[in-house]
Each structure stands twice: as C-alpha cells, then as structure tokens.
Amino acid sequence: MIKFEIKNSEDYNKNYSAAIQNPEEFWATIAKKNFTWKRPWSKVLDWDFSIPKVSWFEGAQLNITENCIDRHLETKGDKTAILFEPNNPNEPSEAITYNELHKRVNQFANVLNSKGIQKGDRVCIYLPMIPELAISVLACARIGAIHSVVFAGFSATALSTRINDCDCKMVITSDGGYRGAKTIDLKSIVDTALLDCDGIESVLVAKRIHSDIPMVSGRDFWLQPLLDTASEKCEATVMDAEDPLFILYTSGSTGQPKGMVHTTAGYMVYTAYTFKNIFQYEPNDVYWCTADIGWITGHSYIVYGPLLNGATTLMFEGVPSYPDYGRFWSIVEKHKVTQFYTAPTAIRALAKEGLEVVTPYDLSSLKILGTVGEPINEEAWHWYNDHIGKNKCPIVDTWWQTETGGIMISPIPNSFEGKPAFATLPFMGIQPALMDENGVELEGNSVEGRLCIKFPWPSMARTIWGNHQRYKETYFSAYDQKYFTGDGALRDENGHYRITGRVDDVIIVSGHNLGTAPIEDAINEHPNVAESAIVGYPHDIKGSALYGFVTLKNSDISNDSLKAEINQLISKQIGPIAKLDKIQFTSGLPKTRSGKIMRRILRKIASKDTSNLGDISTLLNPEVVETIMKNSL
Ligand code: WT7
C-alpha cells in the first residue's frame, strides 16, 4: 500500500518500488489523499526530456497557500506556524499562529493587489530573515504573482540583473536588517539597483531597523500603514497545476545566473512529502532550518514544506556567531528544537570553537539532524553526531539542488541508516544514474561517474525564465534523455550514493553555489586586468575557497591594494560571498592551442596537488606552468 508516512524500512521499500514501477499511480495517490484541490487533474504526468517538457497533474487547479494555511485552521488555528527568533537575543521571539499567518498573508496579498500586482506578475523580494519575508512569499502565491526572492547579501548590481531578467514590477524590501553586530542598509542597495531597472512601479518597505531613509515619492511605500488598512480576507486565486509559483536564480558555469522556474502542484506535493518523511515531523515538533529564505533550502524547507505539513517552523534572523558561538545551541535549548537542519560549513565553523560553547546548553530535545549544500566531510559528520546529536539523532545528509526543488537523495530516519559523507539512497520515485566519460550508464555497484536522473519527479524546475534553450543545453544535452546534475558521485557496494562534488565550473563556497564566469567578468572590469581564471581549493571551514589567477596589463603595479580593488569589484558586482581568498598575479595563464584556459592545471596548483599535472605538452605555453607553480600562494 502506498503511504504518505514512511515509518520503517518496509514502508520505504514498498513505496520506493511502487513509485518506480508506477509513478503516475504513486504520485496521484499521494496528491489526492493529502492536499486540497479545486479541480482534479486529467493527466498525472506528461514528459519528454528531449524537448524538454515535463508537466505534473495537468488540468488540476489549486492554490498552494490554501494547502499551507487555510486547511489547517480548523484543527491547528492556534498552533505556532512561524516562530521568529530575532538577531538580538534580548529581543522577544515572536510566535505567529496559523490563524494569524492567515490574516497577515491575506492583508499582504490585498496590499499587493492594491498596488496593481496581478496573477503572473513578477515580484522581487529583497528582505532580511524577518517574518515579512515568509509572509510576502505566501502573499504572492495567494494571488498568483510569481515571487523572485533575492538573497539580501547580493549587491545592487546582482539585484538589478535579477530584477531585469524576469521583468519584476515590484520590489519588497526593508529599511535595513540586522546581522550579528552589523546593520545592513538594504533600502539604499535597492535604490542603487533601481537606477538600472525601468520596469519597477512600486517598492514596499518594511520597517526593521527604524532608520531614516529616503523614500521616492509615488514609488516607495511604507508597508505597515498599508497593511493596517487592508482587509483580512483575500480569496485565493485559482492556479493551474503548471502555473509558475516562483523564480529563483542560481549560478551556472557560464554566463548570467539562471532564473529557475518552479511550478505549483508538483512542487507542493514533493516538498510536503519529502519534508514529512526525511525530517519525520510529528505534531508537537519544533523544526529549525538555519538557511536563508533567499536560497532554495529556505523556500522548500523553511516555508513551503513545513507549512504544508502544519508544522512549526523556526526562522532565525541572525548569524551563528552572535552574540557568541553558542547562539545556535542556545536557540535549540530555548525553543526545544526537535529537528535541526544546517550546512557543513556552519558545522565546521562551530566545531572549531570547541565544546565550551556547546556543553552549557541542553540539546536533549533534538531528534533528527540534517545537513545540506555540499559534501560533509567525515570529521564534521562525527562531530555533529557525537556532540550535537549525542549519538542518538539520525543525521540526514540531503543531496539536492535549486533545480530539483526538493531533496533527492537522503537517509530516511528509522528506515535505513546514514553513513558519514554518504547521502545514501534516492527518495521515492528518484531514479539516479551514473555515467562514464563515454556517456554510457554504469550498471551495478561500486562504480563512480557523473550523476544524472533518468525520470522526472514532481518538483523539478520546468525551465529557465526566458531561455528554454539554455535549460535544454545545460541539463538535458550532456546525456540523452537524462537530467544532468553537474555533480560527480559514487555508488558503493550496497548501492549507497556518495556525492563527490561538482564536475563543472561551479564552486560551492560555504554552501553557496558560485559560477566562475561572473566572478571572472567582475575582475576583468578592472582597468589593469588583462585576464583571469578562478578555481576552487580545499578550505577547512568553507569546504572550498576561491583562488584567482590574474594577469595584468601593467605588471609593475601588482600589489596588495590592487588585490583589495579586485575584491571590491567582486563585492560590487556579485556580493561579499564571492570574494577571493587568494589572488596570484601571473604573467600568463596555461592555455590549450585553441585558447581555452586549462583550469584543471590551475585547480591542481591551487590545491597544492602538483605531483601529477597530467600531460601539459599540448599547451600553447607550457613554460608558464612552472612560473605559476613557483609563485603559488
Ligand atoms: C549543489 C546545489 C539544495 C540546497 C542547497 C544548495 C551541492 C547540495 C549536497 C550534499 C553533497 C551537495 C551539489 C549540488 N550539494 N547538497 N548533501 N552533499 N553536495 O543548492 O545552490 O543549487 O547547489 O550543492 O554540488 O549540485 P544549490
């Protein structure tokens, strides 16, 4: 029997094989039994990866916010939906019940309507981790507007690129935000960005830091007075299953960021189902994911997945180091957190601070620990398991991507065990394939190759906004009839997967996905830079850090202030997260005869792994390799 709840290995085995043998029946059963539909579907799945086209639950109508909020009101109206923990530990936390969330989302949705936002319009959300962020996301979904959340650490240039790429009509922001001891002046970043954005008609501004900021008359509006007078009722707009729900930008190995488009019904079904089972959520649990809603983890596993399950989801405004490195654990103790989901980079940073900042806190409420964003090294896994989980909490190492919408490969507590550094087994309906260098699928166990997915799943991104051709080329062209993830992986003797890392020019720094091309573009804007190449190298805390090889037009001025200028350019174009840890000025870059930079060699030099550089005789300029090696940092 197909079950929504997977409680043991028998459930997992039965459900997994049902979802592989008859995916349509499987997903139709899950969808029908567990959600509210305004009209049923006429076709469960229609797909062809060669176009590529994927549609789930075609013909169905629904509104995701009715599934996230309205349907819980009768039985869970007074339950906390969002538990907000502010940056400053002395400021009280705020518990927003499902009843209150309903009211606030409706009011916000009416404000959007009053400013002319209609179904299908794009709304850019550029907010810190405050309740308005989750509420504005849901308010957009209430009226069928497509939200495009931009992480509030991105620069004005990065923001304007994203606003223009999908022609947003509105920006929702705040006067500023708190991050540890710092305040961030978000509104001025928006003002700068909007100098380059003609399509923005209005800017809604939430008050957070109560700073005195300029407001452009006729364009900028304080949010609170509008909310105060807005009606608490807002009929949910009827959406088709495949109507876009949101756009979220992610880096590619080349070119501008890709606006991944996620649609409504499939995304809803898959995020709800994965959340319930991977985190084994029970009615009185308090679930906390430390990600920012500006990333896919926050969309799927702070907002949608938990609320679809009627869960209590904690939103934390601050950073792990403020007011000290015990903050995460003090929050776990304070709110009796039961599921805790974070990134390996945070685990490594906290482990470095020693147990003095962990042991004062009572972590006995914890039941399940999660990790996401990059491969977790065994040392960090064991520290997490021993000192946070006290060897009694299963660790779910969840592998997935912005593009996949939901978790794809992960342990399921009580069904089968995790293993350090292994994402383990695919979730229901997920069909991984490992490919060799000739494009042939590797059969059997104990093999390593490039990770593809052979069959559609409900929450996969449907296209890249405005560029379906790029969607096809990036994900469906490397291997026939398969979605290519960009990751390498191995399958061990038991069929368990270990993700080995990116096989393209995307570098994961502190769990953030960074493409090399936009960083190189930013550096190359410096008047004295001739050329540059960015590679990743192993870093104790960040997982990978960025190493830039830069050739100058005038090498006499290669000095530290030039390095600082380069990092300033990167901060301005992309954001501080993309700054380089090391910059090496060099007289040339190793190139093939066709002029392509050989990053493979640079990667080895940056990683201090130069014992075997491979064949460099085919290079146009082999002599440069020696010099770069001699001067490497
Ligand atoms: C890339 C996707 C999905 C949420 C956060 C990142 C890497 C992600 C794991 C994991 C090994 C992982 C992959 C993937 N990644 N989770 N558990 N083990 N690698 O989303 O920014 O779209 O990045 O993150 O390389 O392709 P994203």
Side-chain angles (χ1 to χ4, degrees), residues 249-251 295-298 301 341 344 371-376 396-407 409 421-423 483 485-488 498-504 506 508 511-514:
Y249 286 86
T250 188
S251 316
W295 311 113
I296 191 70
T297 309
Y301 299 109
Y341 190 27
T371 126
V372 60
E374 62 186 303
I376 178 164
V396 292
D397 176 356
T398 63
W399 174 83
W400 58 298
Q401 308 178 296
T402 305
E403 295 86 337
T404 68
I407 297 169
I409 304 183
F422 277 74
Y483 166 82
T485 64
D487 283 317
R498 176 178 189 153
I499 310 299
T500 50
R502 300 291 308 188
V503 295
D504 56 11
V506 170
I508 315 262
H512 299 312
N513 192 330
L514 299 172

Tab-separated table of all heavy atoms in Angstrom, residues 249-251 295-298 301 341 344 371-376 396-407 409 421-423 483 485-488 498-504 506 508 511-514, ligand 1:
chain	number	residue	atom	x	y	z
A	249	TYR	N	17.067	32.373	-8.693
A	249	TYR	CA	18.287	32.406	-9.505
A	249	TYR	C	19.373	31.536	-8.907
A	249	TYR	O	19.557	31.483	-7.692
A	249	TYR	CB	18.777	33.855	-9.660
A	249	TYR	CG	17.881	34.592	-10.629
A	249	TYR	CD1	16.710	35.203	-10.190
A	249	TYR	CD2	18.146	34.565	-11.989
A	249	TYR	CE1	15.847	35.816	-11.084
A	249	TYR	CE2	17.291	35.174	-12.892
A	249	TYR	CZ	16.147	35.792	-12.440
A	249	TYR	OH	15.295	36.371	-13.331
A	250	THR	N	20.107	30.853	-9.777
A	250	THR	CA	21.248	30.056	-9.345
A	250	THR	C	22.375	30.260	-10.346
A	250	THR	O	22.131	30.594	-11.502
A	250	THR	CB	20.877	28.568	-9.180
A	250	THR	OG1	21.974	27.875	-8.579
A	250	THR	CG2	20.546	27.901	-10.503
A	251	SER	N	23.624	30.074	-9.864
A	251	SER	CA	24.765	30.318	-10.750
A	251	SER	C	24.956	29.166	-11.704
A	251	SER	O	24.718	28.018	-11.365
A	251	SER	CB	26.048	30.443	-9.942
A	251	SER	OG	25.846	31.225	-8.830
A	295	TRP	N	17.582	31.305	-0.464
A	295	TRP	CA	18.061	30.123	-1.190
A	295	TRP	C	16.933	29.101	-1.292
A	295	TRP	O	15.964	29.168	-0.542
A	295	TRP	CB	19.258	29.478	-0.465
A	295	TRP	CG	20.331	30.440	-0.079
A	295	TRP	CD1	20.683	30.796	1.190
A	295	TRP	CD2	21.192	31.189	-0.951
A	295	TRP	NE1	21.710	31.702	1.155
A	295	TRP	CE2	22.044	31.971	-0.135
A	295	TRP	CE3	21.341	31.274	-2.341
A	295	TRP	CZ2	23.014	32.823	-0.649
A	295	TRP	CZ3	22.299	32.125	-2.857
A	295	TRP	CH2	23.123	32.881	-2.024
A	296	ILE	N	17.115	28.087	-2.128
A	296	ILE	CA	16.059	27.089	-2.318
A	296	ILE	C	15.773	26.335	-1.009
A	296	ILE	O	14.625	25.974	-0.737
A	296	ILE	CB	16.410	26.095	-3.456
A	296	ILE	CG1	15.195	25.229	-3.824
A	296	ILE	CG2	17.580	25.212	-3.090
A	296	ILE	CD1	14.085	25.928	-4.516
A	297	THR	N	16.803	26.117	-0.192
A	297	THR	CA	16.578	25.395	1.065
A	297	THR	C	15.520	26.106	1.900
A	297	THR	O	14.650	25.472	2.500
A	297	THR	CB	17.893	25.262	1.856
A	297	THR	OG1	18.880	24.731	0.977
A	297	THR	CG2	17.735	24.345	3.049
A	298	GLY	N	15.596	27.434	1.914
A	298	GLY	CA	14.622	28.204	2.668
A	298	GLY	C	13.238	28.159	2.046
A	298	GLY	O	12.226	28.079	2.752
A	301	TYR	N	12.187	24.231	2.558
A	301	TYR	CA	12.221	23.620	3.888
A	301	TYR	C	12.256	24.618	5.045
A	301	TYR	O	12.595	24.243	6.168
A	301	TYR	CB	13.358	22.588	3.959
A	301	TYR	CG	13.134	21.474	2.940
A	301	TYR	CD1	13.943	21.368	1.803
A	301	TYR	CD2	12.065	20.579	3.066
A	301	TYR	CE1	13.712	20.387	0.839
A	301	TYR	CE2	11.827	19.601	2.113
A	301	TYR	CZ	12.645	19.506	1.001
A	301	TYR	OH	12.418	18.538	0.053
A	341	TYR	N	18.467	21.618	10.944
A	341	TYR	CA	18.954	21.399	9.572
A	341	TYR	C	19.900	22.533	9.220
A	341	TYR	O	19.505	23.701	9.229
A	341	TYR	CB	17.714	21.421	8.659
A	341	TYR	CG	17.873	20.993	7.217
A	341	TYR	CD1	18.865	20.100	6.803
A	341	TYR	CD2	16.971	21.461	6.244
A	341	TYR	CE1	18.947	19.698	5.468
A	341	TYR	CE2	17.039	21.057	4.917
A	341	TYR	CZ	18.034	20.190	4.530
A	341	TYR	OH	18.112	19.792	3.216
A	344	PRO	N	27.207	22.038	6.187
A	344	PRO	CA	28.507	21.572	6.679
A	344	PRO	C	29.437	22.722	7.058
A	344	PRO	O	30.170	22.634	8.042
A	344	PRO	CB	29.074	20.777	5.500
A	344	PRO	CG	27.872	20.282	4.769
A	344	PRO	CD	26.842	21.373	4.911
A	371	THR	N	21.869	17.995	7.168
A	371	THR	CA	22.902	18.808	6.536
A	371	THR	C	22.627	18.911	5.038
A	371	THR	O	22.046	18.020	4.436
A	371	THR	CB	24.358	18.304	6.808
A	371	THR	OG1	25.031	18.128	5.565
A	371	THR	CG2	24.384	17.029	7.568
A	372	VAL	N	23.044	20.025	4.460
A	372	VAL	CA	22.781	20.282	3.044
A	372	VAL	C	23.733	21.328	2.491
A	372	VAL	O	24.204	22.183	3.223
A	372	VAL	CB	21.340	20.793	2.821
A	372	VAL	CG1	21.057	22.088	3.557
A	372	VAL	CG2	21.030	20.962	1.329
A	373	GLY	N	24.000	21.241	1.197
A	373	GLY	CA	24.691	22.323	0.497
A	373	GLY	C	26.000	21.919	-0.120
A	373	GLY	O	26.438	22.510	-1.099
A	374	GLU	N	26.661	20.935	0.441
A	374	GLU	CA	27.944	20.483	-0.084
A	374	GLU	C	28.241	19.150	0.598
A	374	GLU	O	27.594	18.802	1.589
A	374	GLU	CB	29.035	21.496	0.249
A	374	GLU	CG	29.199	21.652	1.742
A	374	GLU	CD	30.166	22.746	2.144
A	374	GLU	OE1	31.311	22.684	1.705
A	374	GLU	OE2	29.750	23.619	2.917
A	375	PRO	N	29.220	18.424	0.078
A	375	PRO	CA	29.552	17.162	0.747
A	375	PRO	C	30.012	17.450	2.173
A	375	PRO	O	30.723	18.417	2.418
A	375	PRO	CB	30.708	16.616	-0.095
A	375	PRO	CG	30.590	17.305	-1.423
A	375	PRO	CD	30.028	18.663	-1.118
A	376	ILE	N	29.565	16.639	3.120
A	376	ILE	CA	30.033	16.815	4.507
A	376	ILE	C	31.191	15.852	4.729
A	376	ILE	O	31.072	14.654	4.455
A	376	ILE	CB	28.897	16.636	5.547
A	376	ILE	CG1	29.444	16.791	6.966
A	376	ILE	CG2	28.121	15.337	5.375
A	376	ILE	CD1	28.376	17.018	8.029
A	396	VAL	N	20.513	13.301	8.585
A	396	VAL	CA	20.100	13.204	7.188
A	396	VAL	C	20.980	14.135	6.349
A	396	VAL	O	20.919	15.346	6.465
A	396	VAL	CB	18.583	13.480	6.990
A	396	VAL	CG1	17.783	12.347	7.622
A	396	VAL	CG2	18.118	14.803	7.580
A	397	ASP	N	21.865	13.524	5.560
A	397	ASP	CA	22.735	14.265	4.641
A	397	ASP	C	21.963	14.346	3.327
A	397	ASP	O	21.887	13.378	2.582
A	397	ASP	CB	24.062	13.498	4.490
A	397	ASP	CG	24.998	14.131	3.469
A	397	ASP	OD1	24.622	15.123	2.817
A	397	ASP	OD2	26.128	13.605	3.322
A	398	THR	N	21.347	15.497	3.088
A	398	THR	CA	20.375	15.614	2.000
A	398	THR	C	21.016	16.216	0.763
A	398	THR	O	21.456	17.361	0.781
A	398	THR	CB	19.195	16.502	2.429
A	398	THR	OG1	19.668	17.832	2.691
A	398	THR	CG2	18.525	15.956	3.696
A	399	TRP	N	21.082	15.441	-0.299
A	399	TRP	CA	21.607	15.976	-1.561
A	399	TRP	C	20.459	16.454	-2.442
A	399	TRP	O	19.520	15.689	-2.693
A	399	TRP	CB	22.423	14.925	-2.339
A	399	TRP	CG	22.801	15.480	-3.682
A	399	TRP	CD1	23.861	16.289	-3.970
A	399	TRP	CD2	22.084	15.323	-4.916
A	399	TRP	NE1	23.835	16.652	-5.298
A	399	TRP	CE2	22.762	16.077	-5.896
A	399	TRP	CE3	20.924	14.629	-5.287
A	399	TRP	CZ2	22.336	16.150	-7.230
A	399	TRP	CZ3	20.487	14.707	-6.609
A	399	TRP	CH2	21.201	15.448	-7.567
A	400	TRP	N	20.563	17.689	-2.905
A	400	TRP	CA	19.615	18.220	-3.878
A	400	TRP	C	20.129	19.525	-4.430
A	400	TRP	O	21.269	19.901	-4.167
A	400	TRP	CB	18.205	18.329	-3.288
A	400	TRP	CG	18.034	19.177	-2.058
A	400	TRP	CD1	18.613	18.967	-0.831
A	400	TRP	CD2	17.218	20.345	-1.932
A	400	TRP	NE1	18.187	19.929	0.048
A	400	TRP	CE2	17.340	20.790	-0.595
A	400	TRP	CE3	16.384	21.042	-2.792
A	400	TRP	CZ2	16.670	21.927	-0.122
A	400	TRP	CZ3	15.712	22.147	-2.314
A	400	TRP	CH2	15.863	22.591	-1.001
A	401	GLN	N	19.331	20.230	-5.212
A	401	GLN	CA	19.778	21.430	-5.918
A	401	GLN	C	18.623	22.416	-6.063
A	401	GLN	O	17.457	22.016	-5.987
A	401	GLN	CB	20.223	21.059	-7.340
A	401	GLN	CG	21.234	19.937	-7.404
A	401	GLN	CD	21.588	19.585	-8.834
A	401	GLN	OE1	20.740	19.129	-9.599
A	401	GLN	NE2	22.842	19.798	-9.201
A	402	THR	N	18.961	23.674	-6.345
A	402	THR	CA	17.935	24.667	-6.663
A	402	THR	C	17.011	24.101	-7.743
A	402	THR	O	15.788	24.253	-7.690
A	402	THR	CB	18.599	25.962	-7.176
A	402	THR	OG1	19.543	26.403	-6.199
A	402	THR	CG2	17.575	27.050	-7.434
A	403	GLU	N	17.611	23.454	-8.724
A	403	GLU	CA	16.871	22.939	-9.865
A	403	GLU	C	15.935	21.795	-9.505
A	403	GLU	O	14.931	21.573	-10.179
A	403	GLU	CB	17.858	22.418	-10.930
A	403	GLU	CG	18.746	23.466	-11.559
A	403	GLU	CD	20.029	23.753	-10.757
A	403	GLU	OE1	20.058	23.489	-9.532
A	403	GLU	OE2	20.985	24.250	-11.360
A	404	THR	N	16.281	21.031	-8.475
A	404	THR	CA	15.463	19.846	-8.173
A	404	THR	C	14.272	20.183	-7.275
A	404	THR	O	13.381	19.367	-7.110
A	404	THR	CB	16.275	18.713	-7.497
A	404	THR	OG1	16.661	19.132	-6.189
A	404	THR	CG2	17.500	18.325	-8.307
A	405	GLY	N	14.278	21.370	-6.677
A	405	GLY	CA	13.138	21.827	-5.877
A	405	GLY	C	13.021	21.167	-4.514
A	405	GLY	O	12.597	21.796	-3.558
A	406	GLY	N	13.340	19.906	-4.425
A	406	GLY	CA	13.237	19.170	-3.167
A	406	GLY	C	14.391	18.177	-3.043
A	406	GLY	O	15.162	17.966	-3.994
A	407	ILE	N	14.468	17.562	-1.854
A	407	ILE	CA	15.551	16.617	-1.541
A	407	ILE	C	15.442	15.368	-2.421
A	407	ILE	O	14.362	14.795	-2.563
A	407	ILE	CB	15.505	16.239	-0.046
A	407	ILE	CG1	15.744	17.489	0.810
A	407	ILE	CG2	16.513	15.130	0.278
A	407	ILE	CD1	15.456	17.296	2.302
A	409	ILE	N	18.300	12.731	-2.674
A	409	ILE	CA	18.981	11.566	-2.103
A	409	ILE	C	19.251	11.891	-0.638
A	409	ILE	O	19.829	12.935	-0.337
A	409	ILE	CB	20.316	11.273	-2.840
A	409	ILE	CG1	20.073	11.096	-4.349
A	409	ILE	CG2	21.008	10.043	-2.245
A	409	ILE	CD1	21.319	10.729	-5.156
A	421	ALA	N	29.429	11.045	5.264
A	421	ALA	CA	29.765	11.515	3.921
A	421	ALA	C	28.906	10.892	2.804
A	421	ALA	O	29.123	11.175	1.633
A	421	ALA	CB	31.245	11.328	3.613
A	422	PHE	N	27.929	10.086	3.180
A	422	PHE	CA	27.052	9.491	2.171
A	422	PHE	C	25.654	10.093	2.233
A	422	PHE	O	25.050	10.154	3.309
A	422	PHE	CB	26.935	7.977	2.377
A	422	PHE	CG	28.069	7.201	1.778
A	422	PHE	CD1	29.316	7.209	2.383
A	422	PHE	CD2	27.897	6.497	0.599
A	422	PHE	CE1	30.376	6.508	1.824
A	422	PHE	CE2	28.951	5.790	0.029
A	422	PHE	CZ	30.204	5.795	0.649
A	423	ALA	N	25.144	10.511	1.070
A	423	ALA	CA	23.743	10.949	1.020
A	423	ALA	C	22.827	9.714	0.979
A	423	ALA	O	21.612	9.838	1.084
A	423	ALA	CB	23.516	11.846	-0.189
A	483	TYR	N	18.473	14.007	-17.103
A	483	TYR	CA	18.776	15.286	-16.465
A	483	TYR	C	20.179	15.170	-15.875
A	483	TYR	O	20.456	14.278	-15.059
A	483	TYR	CB	17.754	15.566	-15.354
A	483	TYR	CG	18.164	16.685	-14.421
A	483	TYR	CD1	17.954	18.016	-14.760
A	483	TYR	CD2	18.787	16.410	-13.196
A	483	TYR	CE1	18.348	19.042	-13.905
A	483	TYR	CE2	19.178	17.430	-12.339
A	483	TYR	CZ	18.962	18.739	-12.701
A	483	TYR	OH	19.358	19.749	-11.860
A	485	THR	N	23.104	16.568	-13.466
A	485	THR	CA	23.126	17.394	-12.259
A	485	THR	C	24.325	18.332	-12.160
A	485	THR	O	24.299	19.282	-11.387
A	485	THR	CB	23.190	16.482	-11.015
A	485	THR	OG1	24.439	15.761	-11.067
A	485	THR	CG2	22.041	15.491	-10.988
A	486	GLY	N	25.426	17.994	-12.873
A	486	GLY	CA	26.661	18.761	-12.694
A	486	GLY	C	27.534	18.215	-11.573
A	486	GLY	O	28.622	18.711	-11.329
A	487	ASP	N	27.061	17.178	-10.882
A	487	ASP	CA	27.826	16.578	-9.782
A	487	ASP	C	28.397	15.218	-10.183
A	487	ASP	O	27.833	14.518	-11.029
A	487	ASP	CB	26.924	16.348	-8.552
A	487	ASP	CG	26.649	17.621	-7.782
A	487	ASP	OD1	27.586	18.409	-7.588
A	487	ASP	OD2	25.491	17.828	-7.371
A	488	GLY	N	29.496	14.871	-9.509
A	488	GLY	CA	30.019	13.516	-9.608
A	488	GLY	C	29.544	12.734	-8.384
A	488	GLY	O	29.243	13.328	-7.353
A	498	ARG	N	27.457	8.450	-2.681
A	498	ARG	CA	28.281	9.487	-2.066
A	498	ARG	C	28.527	10.548	-3.141
A	498	ARG	O	29.020	10.228	-4.226
A	498	ARG	CB	29.607	8.894	-1.607
A	498	ARG	CG	30.531	9.952	-1.062
A	498	ARG	CD	31.841	9.366	-0.560
A	498	ARG	NE	32.562	10.424	0.131
A	498	ARG	CZ	33.429	10.226	1.100
A	498	ARG	NH1	33.708	9.018	1.495
A	498	ARG	NH2	34.044	11.250	1.664
A	499	ILE	N	28.178	11.777	-2.836
A	499	ILE	CA	28.379	12.852	-3.805
A	499	ILE	C	29.827	13.302	-3.686
A	499	ILE	O	30.302	13.602	-2.586
A	499	ILE	CB	27.440	14.056	-3.507
A	499	ILE	CG1	25.985	13.593	-3.323
A	499	ILE	CG2	27.578	15.139	-4.567
A	499	ILE	CD1	25.355	12.917	-4.511
A	500	THR	N	30.545	13.346	-4.811
A	500	THR	CA	31.966	13.673	-4.738
A	500	THR	C	32.236	15.140	-5.058
A	500	THR	O	33.335	15.627	-4.830
A	500	THR	CB	32.776	12.759	-5.683
A	500	THR	OG1	32.150	12.791	-6.976
A	500	THR	CG2	32.799	11.343	-5.161
A	501	GLY	N	31.264	15.863	-5.581
A	501	GLY	CA	31.443	17.296	-5.841
A	501	GLY	C	31.156	17.665	-7.279
A	501	GLY	O	30.871	16.804	-8.111
A	502	ARG	N	31.237	18.956	-7.566
A	502	ARG	CA	30.890	19.454	-8.902
A	502	ARG	C	31.918	18.973	-9.923
A	502	ARG	O	33.105	18.880	-9.645
A	502	ARG	CB	30.883	20.980	-8.909
A	502	ARG	CG	29.907	21.622	-7.968
A	502	ARG	CD	28.464	21.441	-8.335
A	502	ARG	NE	28.129	21.816	-9.689
A	502	ARG	CZ	26.877	21.871	-10.162
A	502	ARG	NH1	25.847	21.575	-9.362
A	502	ARG	NH2	26.634	22.202	-11.395
A	503	VAL	N	31.447	18.692	-11.111
A	503	VAL	CA	32.362	18.322	-12.193
A	503	VAL	C	32.409	19.433	-13.233
A	503	VAL	O	33.023	19.287	-14.279
A	503	VAL	CB	31.961	16.968	-12.845
A	503	VAL	CG1	32.104	15.839	-11.846
A	503	VAL	CG2	30.535	17.020	-13.396
A	504	ASP	N	31.771	20.562	-12.955
A	504	ASP	CA	31.805	21.687	-13.888
A	504	ASP	C	32.469	22.888	-13.218
A	504	ASP	O	33.083	22.756	-12.171
A	504	ASP	CB	30.374	22.033	-14.356
A	504	ASP	CG	29.453	22.318	-13.167
A	504	ASP	OD1	29.952	22.452	-12.030
A	504	ASP	OD2	28.231	22.406	-13.394
A	506	VAL	N	31.316	25.220	-11.495
A	506	VAL	CA	30.598	25.813	-10.376
A	506	VAL	C	31.392	25.438	-9.119
A	506	VAL	O	31.849	24.307	-8.990
A	506	VAL	CB	29.153	25.264	-10.288
A	506	VAL	CG1	28.485	25.683	-8.986
A	506	VAL	CG2	28.338	25.754	-11.483
A	508	ILE	N	31.368	25.427	-4.881
A	508	ILE	CA	30.486	25.600	-3.725
A	508	ILE	C	31.323	26.140	-2.571
A	508	ILE	O	32.159	25.434	-2.012
A	508	ILE	CB	29.821	24.263	-3.324
A	508	ILE	CG1	29.291	23.529	-4.546
A	508	ILE	CG2	28.778	24.467	-2.233
A	508	ILE	CD1	27.856	23.670	-4.868
A	511	GLY	N	28.762	26.474	1.118
A	511	GLY	CA	27.419	26.048	0.734
A	511	GLY	C	26.764	26.945	-0.305
A	511	GLY	O	25.654	26.676	-0.724
A	512	HIS	N	27.443	28.009	-0.729
A	512	HIS	CA	26.863	28.868	-1.774
A	512	HIS	C	27.425	28.468	-3.121
A	512	HIS	O	28.628	28.306	-3.293
A	512	HIS	CB	27.187	30.347	-1.533
A	512	HIS	CG	26.662	30.873	-0.249
A	512	HIS	ND1	25.363	30.663	0.155
A	512	HIS	CD2	27.250	31.575	0.743
A	512	HIS	CE1	25.185	31.227	1.332
A	512	HIS	NE2	26.314	31.774	1.716
A	513	ASN	N	26.508	28.378	-4.047
A	513	ASN	CA	26.827	27.921	-5.379
A	513	ASN	C	27.331	29.100	-6.220
A	513	ASN	O	26.575	30.006	-6.519
A	513	ASN	CB	25.483	27.414	-5.893
A	513	ASN	CG	25.574	26.642	-7.130
A	513	ASN	OD1	26.459	26.882	-7.932
A	513	ASN	ND2	24.661	25.717	-7.313
A	514	LEU	N	28.616	29.112	-6.571
A	514	LEU	CA	29.158	30.260	-7.300
A	514	LEU	C	29.705	29.831	-8.653
A	514	LEU	O	30.490	28.897	-8.748
A	514	LEU	CB	30.278	30.914	-6.489
A	514	LEU	CG	29.883	31.469	-5.110
A	514	LEU	CD1	31.115	31.907	-4.346
A	514	LEU	CD2	28.910	32.625	-5.259
B	1	WT7	C1	24.764	21.831	-5.352
B	1	WT7	C2	23.452	22.547	-5.476
B	1	WT7	C3	19.982	22.195	-2.326
B	1	WT7	C4	20.155	23.174	-1.379
B	1	WT7	C5	21.415	23.906	-1.259
B	1	WT7	C6	22.309	24.013	-2.443
B	1	WT7	C7	25.861	20.575	-3.717
B	1	WT7	C8	23.989	20.126	-2.109
B	1	WT7	C9	24.728	18.371	-1.053
B	1	WT7	C10	25.011	17.237	-0.239
B	1	WT7	C11	26.996	16.955	-1.443
B	1	WT7	C12	25.671	18.731	-2.039
B	1	WT7	C13	25.892	19.828	-5.033
B	1	WT7	C14	24.702	20.390	-5.776
B	1	WT7	N1	25.180	19.829	-2.665
B	1	WT7	N2	23.707	19.253	-1.136
B	1	WT7	N3	24.193	16.827	0.733
B	1	WT7	N4	26.162	16.551	-0.480
B	1	WT7	N5	26.799	18.014	-2.236
B	1	WT7	O1	21.607	24.289	-3.619
B	1	WT7	O2	22.928	26.182	-4.517
B	1	WT7	O3	21.502	24.772	-6.042
B	1	WT7	O4	23.624	23.876	-5.055
B	1	WT7	O5	25.152	21.788	-3.973
B	1	WT7	O6	27.094	20.133	-5.695
B	1	WT7	O7	24.795	20.254	-7.172
B	1	WT7	P1	22.382	24.839	-4.862
